[in-house]
Amino acid sequence: MPTAEANIGVVGLAVMGSNLARNLASREGNKVAIYNRSHEKTQTLIDLYPEAGFIPTASYEEFAATLQRPRTAIIMVKAGIGTDAVIDELVRVFEPGDIIVDGGNAYFPDTIRRERAVRQTGINFVGAGISGGEEGALLGPSIMPGGSDESWVTLGPILRSIAAVAEGEPCVTHVGHDGAGHFVKMVHNGIEYADMQLIAEAYDLIRRGTGKSPAEIAEIFAEWNTGELESYLIEITAEVLRQVDAETGQPLVDVILDQAGAKGTGAWTVQTALSLGVPVSGIAEATFARSLSSRPEQREVAAALPGPAEQFTVPADQHDVFIEDVRQALYASKIVAYSQGFDEIRAGAAEYDWKIDLGAIAKIWRAGCIIRAQFLNRISDAYAEAPELPLLMASPYFAEALTGAQAAWRRVVVAAAQAGIPAPAFSSSLSYYDGIRADRLPAALVQGQRDFFGAHTYRRIDKSGTFHTLWSADRTEIPATDTH
């Protein structure tokens, strides 16, 4: 029987799992057991990185026997039935008090279901969002674990040892119970969709408006990365735009097929927001933009539809002014996307009874994850000053930033519309801004329509209670007791 000398184990040794295992093994105090359904991958990892001192195992029984109590295992397998199968195997060989961590991109309702089922055995189940991709898994990711308070006692020191570090603080916090970790990771990915789409729209507007080459626009993004837009996504955008295709000599961005893929987390974010009644229009439009890009047959037919009569061209002496307008529009729209994302996290916490510290979430996203940015310090500061802040973009710093960017933002959206250049994330973000700040919305008419065709009732501005108009009779108004 193997000796129980590992304090942590990893199941699933594809790239993410292998890199996470290597990260764990490189930190002082960790001894890592590894298991993969195909033992060949286990052996390959052992052969490639002998210095890691991994404990290889060939069965779940052997894997469990190598782990110190409470046994702690991180599952890094493809989300879905494969995850359920691994959980079943670990439950079979683990004991009450042990900890199973799902580090994949699971849908949070699945995590809630799994936690509830595993809890019945006395074993702790933790859904942990892990952001940063392959590099983050190896060098230090941002980690968003849920699960019980009991599991965090053991798991906390292990995860802190491998997390990215921002300003001396590890980018990990106990998000909340059961599915809270995967919920927050889902919203993180939704914000990521919006951020990427906004950057793509900024690039498209500059290129079409000024005629600058991808390499020239790369320098613009590199300059932006030295200011308030400093972020990982802005940084890598410059790198992508600089890249030249070795085969054709063309900018790589010009030979990549313009059909963006998606793995589902953006759609989950939007679907969940709809069920919670939270508008996340920037994330939704970014998700729909990917869907639209992946409809080549429809796009081919639509290419014959008319657009503006004149081609969009910014006069040469106005290039710098236009580019600055786009920068400000990008920053303003980014504020909206993050504000909407944090609204969804707050609403999810209320719905599922999670105690989520929004300021702490902003802090753990400052390094390691895909949306890491200087900007997140401002979000953390806003929640530190007002933990119950009802709207992030209304905090003093962001309100001032939006005020300063508003004129440029409107000019860019108008220019895009007049030029026939799609800018759905820019446009929807501005519409949300105008909607949330409006003193009166046309929703009053919508309520009148709903009452007319469905007797859905309405409330009045001048008296309390709920009312219905007898539209098909004499159209008198009566108090209503039924609010459909």
Side-chain angles (χ1 to χ4, degrees):
M1 183 65 69
T3 303
E5 55 179 311
N7 68 313
I8 182 69
V10 177
V11 177
L13 301 177
V15 176
M16 283 290 290
S18 296
N19 282 1
L20 194 71
R22 290 171 59 198
N23 187 351
L24 285 160
S26 70
R27 312 296 174 157
E28 186 177 353
N30 290 336
K31 188 69 174 177
V32 185
I34 56 175
Y35 172 77
N36 194 78
R37 184 174 60 176
S38 165
H39 191 67
E40 182 181 352
K41 283 190 176 180
T42 305
Q43 192 58 53
T44 298
L45 196 61
I46 294 290
D47 292 343
L48 286 174
Y49 306 103
E51 71 281 1
F54 292 126
I55 302 175
T57 62
S59 68
Y60 282 104
E61 288 80 4
E62 185 181 1
F63 179 74
T66 65
L67 293 170
Q68 301 167 358
R69 289 179 173 81
R71 300 179 183 90
T72 305
I74 302 177
I75 301 170
M76 298 297 291
V77 300
K78 188 176 180 180
I81 58 173
T83 300
D84 286 314
V86 173
I87 291 169
D88 289 344
E89 290 289 351
L90 289 175
V91 166
R92 182 175 60 81
V93 296
F94 275 19
E95 297 175 349
D98 291 347
I99 305 165
I100 299 172
V101 182
D102 176 13
N105 261 343
Y107 191 26
F108 79 93
D110 291 336
T111 303
I112 292 173
R113 168 182 60 78
R114 288 164 178 155
E115 194 277 336
R116 186 179 297 125
V118 173
R119 191 197 317 151
Q120 302 305 312
T121 70
I123 297 170
N124 291 289
F125 182 79
V126 176
I130 299 177
S131 179
E134 297 172 10
E135 180 179 312
L138 179 62
L139 302 178
S142 173
I143 312 175
M144 295 149 261
S148 67
D149 295 337
E150 176 190 12
S151 64
W152 180 242
V153 173
T154 298
L155 195 57
I158 296 171
L159 296 184
R160 281 192 286 267
S161 76
I162 63 167
V165 176
E167 299 178 17
E169 298 177 298
C171 292
V172 58
T173 190
H174 186 205
V175 173
H177 295 155
D178 55 66
H182 277 144
F183 177 88
V184 168
K185 175 56 162 60
M186 174 193 75
V187 177
H188 164 284
N189 284 23
I191 294 171
E192 179 185 307
Y193 273 54
D195 215 342
M196 294 172 71
Q197 177 65 24
L198 289 166
I199 291 170
E201 290 178 16
Y203 153 76
D204 196 32
L205 283 161
I206 292 172
R207 188 164 188 190
R208 295 207 210 187
T210 68
K212 291 185 181 295
S213 69
E216 290 172 319
I217 301 173
E219 297 312 308
I220 293 169
F221 276 95
E223 175 63 27
W224 288 357
N225 198 45
T226 64
E228 60 193 2
L229 281 171
E230 180 189 347
S231 67
Y232 173 71
L233 285 172
I234 293 288
E235 176 188 342
I236 68 169
T237 296
E239 293 300 319
V240 172
L241 292 175
R242 287 190 184 110
Q243 186 67 18
V244 174
D245 176 52
E247 185 174 337
T248 64
Q250 297 297 309
L252 180 64
V253 72
D254 286 348
V255 299
I256 296 175
L257 188 66
D258 63 337
Q259 298 177 21
K263 290 190 175 180
T265 47
W268 291 347
T269 304
V270 176
Q271 290 162 356
T272 302
L274 286 170
S275 69
L276 293 171
V278 178
V280 292
S281 52
I283 297 170
E285 289 295 351
T287 305
F288 292 143
R290 294 195 188 190
S291 299
L292 185 149
S293 76
S294 300
R295 298 289 185 274
E297 301 87 357
Q298 291 181 322
R299 290 174 61 193
E300 183 177 356
V301 173
L305 296 174
E310 296 182 6
Q311 188 173 356
F312 177 54
T313 303
V314 177
D317 63 351
Q318 292 296 307
H319 282 187
D320 288 347
V321 173
F322 179 70
I323 290 167
E324 174 59 15
D325 276 358
V326 173
R327 185 193 70 80
Q328 291 192 44
L330 173 57
Y331 190 55
S333 300
K334 181 186 178 82
I335 291 170
V336 169
Y338 280 72
S339 185
Q340 291 178 344
F342 276 86
D343 279 350
E344 182 166 357
I345 294 174
R346 176 189 286 102
E351 176 71 17
Y352 295 99
D353 196 26
W354 296 321
K355 292 179 174 60
I356 300 179
D357 182 337
L358 298 179
I361 298 304
K363 281 189 172 184
I364 68 170
W365 288 351
R366 291 177 300 169
C369 69
I370 303 303
I371 63 172
R372 59 186 182 265
Q374 178 192 66
F375 176 84
L376 286 153
N377 277 313
R378 299 295 190 180
I379 297 177
S380 180
D381 291 344
Y383 285 116
E385 292 168 9
E388 302 303 318
L389 182 67
L391 182 69
L392 177 62
M393 60 190 249
S395 67
Y397 173 83
F398 292 120
E400 183 180 348
L402 289 168
T403 299
Q406 182 184 168
W409 196 7
R410 295 187 189 282
R411 286 193 295 268
V412 167
V413 170
V414 168
Q418 291 179 333
I421 299 173
F426 275 158
S427 302
S428 67
S429 298
L430 180 57
S431 291
Y432 172 83
Y433 173 79
D434 284 335
I436 202 74
R437 69 176 189 84
D439 61 348
R440 187 162 174 82
L441 293 166
L445 176 58
V446 173
Q447 281 301 91
Q449 293 168 331
R450 294 179 73 238
D451 189 59
F452 190 106
F453 66 69
H456 290 290
T457 75
Y458 53 85
R459 289 178 295 160
R460 296 175 58 100
I461 63 173
D462 55 357
K463 63 179 79 173
S464 61
T466 306
F467 301 89
H468 168 58
T469 292
L470 300 173
W471 298 101
S472 58
D474 62 1
R475 300 203 173 188
T476 58
E477 181 181 82
I478 62 172
T481 56
D482 182 19
T483 55
H484 299 312

